[in-house]
Amino acid sequence: MKSTSFNFSTFPQLQADISEIKDILRDVFKKPMEDIPKAFNTNQAIEYIRNKGVPMSRSRLYKLSSGNKDFPVHYIGGRLLFYSQEIDTWVAQQIVNRNNNESETLRIAQSVKN
């Protein structure tokens, strides 16, 4: 790994050093910074889940966080923390479950009709 010394004397120099640190971290992790999981607080998680098409309220999020072992939540210092990749996986599963339930309902309705 390359050894670098940083001089934080001026703002432009600070920006250049931060850019260099990002480059070093990209090399270390061998993946873009955007791929590193993004963490959300409660309000951000609610908005993120809603934007994915799953209805979510604060009370529902708390209920899922406290009683559902399949729901992706982490407790850090008494606060709830959610990672975007884990939420994406959970949302995808909710959509699959919803589609399966709709298919089953349609199958039952058609069998009653016949």
Side-chain angles (χ1 to χ4, degrees):
M1 186 184 311
K2 163 173 131 174
S3 176
T4 306
S5 63
F6 297 101
N7 177 7
F8 298 118
S9 59
T10 65
F11 186 72
Q13 182 61 44
L14 177 62
Q15 287 179 312
D17 290 343
I18 289 172
S19 179
E20 187 175 347
I21 290 169
K22 285 181 178 179
D23 292 340
I24 292 168
L25 288 174
R26 279 190 191 100
D27 291 341
V28 168
F29 290 110
K30 299 289 186 214
K31 60 182 177 179
M33 295 297 279
E34 295 81 31
D35 288 348
I36 296 173
K38 184 175 180 183
F40 298 121
N41 64 27
T42 303
N43 291 331
Q44 293 167 326
I46 291 168
E47 188 65 29
Y48 187 78
I49 293 168
R50 285 178 180 164
N51 288 339
K52 296 288 182 174
V54 175
M56 186 60 61
S57 66
R58 179 178 288 276
S59 63
R60 181 168 184 235
L61 183 72
Y62 284 134
K63 286 175 188 172
L64 288 169
S65 298
S66 66
N68 187 340
K69 294 185 191 304
D70 296 328
F71 190 72
V73 60
H74 303 272
Y75 297 92
I76 310 286
R79 293 181 162 232
L80 302 179
L81 186 66
F82 307 88
Y83 290 107
S84 62
Q85 291 176 334
E86 294 174 347
I87 289 175
D88 290 342
T89 302
W90 181 82
V91 166
Q93 187 59 46
Q94 299 310 299
I95 292 170
V96 167
N97 290 345
R98 186 178 349 165
N99 289 340
N100 288 343
N101 288 341
E102 289 171 359
S103 296
E104 182 65 15
T105 302
L106 180 60
R107 186 189 66 73
I108 292 168
Q110 288 174 341
S111 70
V112 169
K113 184 178 175 183
N114 294 332

